[in-house]
Amino acid sequence: MIKKIATMLLAAIMAICCTVAFTACGSGGNETGDEIGGGVIGGDTHEHTFSNQWSNDETYHWHAATCEHTDEVSDEAEHTIENGACTVCSYKQPTEGLEYTLSYDGTAYSVSGIGWTTETDISIAYTYNGKPVTDIGWGAFRGCASLTSVTIPSSVTYIGVHAFHDCTSLTSVTIPSSVTSIGGYAFAGCESLTNVTIPGSVTRIGNNAFDGCESLTSVAIPSSVKSIEYAAFNGCTSLASVNIPNSVTSIDDHVFGYCPSLASITVERGNKVYHSAGNC
């Protein structure tokens, strides 16, 4: 009788273990999920979900996981290059002739100038001399009046002070989700810039960052932003509406100074901003 009971207990334990193993998340897959994919591997019932947007580096593109398993990817493949750009994703081959400067500790580069290139649509490199390009340096493209478009790689975390100041023909800029800070006057005087999407990685928008962007009609401030510094959107005469997420705890003076088209500023419930945006 004791032997029979022991056998039954052992069978029950094995059944429970099998159930746990079946429901534990595995390493990936490609069934339909909430976005563009899920995964069922070796009895895995967790479905990974992947972004609709392409991620890329200098060699590959892929769809990154949007579930908790951030190391998972889908549809990874090498770029298919035609006329200097991938036909599948947004990757563009780096523009030749740009200037790069090695960091003080010798671990990374910043793009520091327009160099000898005559291109008006530029793409900054992910790496230079085998090291990552992590920021756009002080005044790197300041006064480049013929520059119309720029693609910033996902290796860049900081857009420096005066980086694109007075690039009066700049209409398009792609800011990757790797960027955490936009420096003061970074896009000031970019009077042809019509819209800008600030990624959800940015925590700080520097003083006068978009000052004088007269054609800017809309701006999406993500919930990652904590501070908007002095006169960040001053003189954006075409800006019609702005939403301030409740993550923002600091707004300096004149952030929306002389914005005559600004009809509404929506502040999310629960916002604890300690200073108002004066002189709209």
Side-chain angles (χ1 to χ4, degrees), residues 156-216:
V156 169
T157 60
Y158 174 60
I159 299 176
V161 176
H162 297 289
F164 297 98
H165 194 166
D166 285 339
C167 291
T168 53
S169 298
L170 185 65
T171 60
S172 174
V173 59
T174 302
I175 302 176
S177 59
S178 55
V179 172
T180 59
S181 182
I182 299 173
Y185 293 91
F187 296 96
C190 293
E191 59 187 37
S192 299
L193 191 64
T194 57
N195 63 77
V196 61
T197 300
I198 300 170
S201 52
V202 171
T203 60
R204 167 186 167 268
I205 301 173
N207 64 284
N208 303 87
F210 296 93
D211 192 342
C213 291
E214 299 174 356
S215 299
L216 191 64

Side-chain angles (χ1 to χ4, degrees), residues 52-267:
N52 291 312
Q53 303 298 318
W54 288 105
S55 297
N56 57 54
D57 58 21
E58 289 181 303
T59 307
Y60 298 96
H61 52 246
W62 62 87
H63 291 293
T66 57
C67 60
E68 66 269 28
H69 304 94
T70 55
D71 58 336
E72 299 298 331
V73 300
S74 174
D75 306 316
E76 184 178 41
E78 289 190 26
H79 296 305
T80 302
I81 303 296
E82 289 184 10
N83 299 319
C86 180
T87 59
V88 177
C89 70
S90 59
Y91 173 76
K92 295 180 181 179
Q93 289 183 314
T95 301
E96 294 184 359
L98 299 180
E99 295 177 350
Y100 295 89
T101 300
L102 187 64
S103 63
Y104 289 115
D105 61 7
T107 61
Y109 277 89
S110 64
V111 57
S112 54
I114 194 70
W116 52 260
T117 187
T118 58
E119 298 291 332
T120 59
D121 179 0
I122 66 167
S123 179
I124 298 167
Y126 283 82
T127 60
Y128 186 77
N129 288 339
K131 293 180 172 62
V133 176
T134 58
D135 65 275
I136 300 173
W138 193 100
F141 300 100
R142 185 173 186 173
C144 293
S146 62
L147 186 63
T148 59
S149 178
V150 59
T151 301
I152 302 170
S154 58
S155 58
V156 169
T157 60
Y158 174 60
I159 299 176
V161 176
H162 297 289
F164 297 98
H165 194 166
D166 285 339
C167 291
T168 53
S169 298
L170 185 65
T171 60
S172 174
V173 59
T174 302
I175 302 176
S177 59
S178 55
V179 172
T180 59
S181 182
I182 299 173
Y185 293 91
F187 296 96
C190 293
E191 59 187 37
S192 299
L193 191 64
T194 57
N195 63 77
V196 61
T197 300
I198 300 170
S201 52
V202 171
T203 60
R204 167 186 167 268
I205 301 173
N207 64 284
N208 303 87
F210 296 93
D211 192 342
C213 291
E214 299 174 356
S215 299
L216 191 64
T217 58
S218 65
V219 59
I221 299 175
S223 59
S224 57
V225 171
K226 293 179 173 57
S227 65
I228 306 175
E229 297 182 1
Y230 181 86
F233 296 96
N234 180 68
C236 293
T237 54
S238 299
L239 191 61
S241 64
V242 175
N243 180 72
I244 307 294
N246 59 25
S247 61
V248 176
T249 58
S250 172
I251 297 180
D252 286 349
D253 286 336
H254 303 284
V255 164
F256 300 107
Y258 190 57
C259 293
S261 300
L262 189 57
S264 67
I265 299 177
T266 302
V267 181

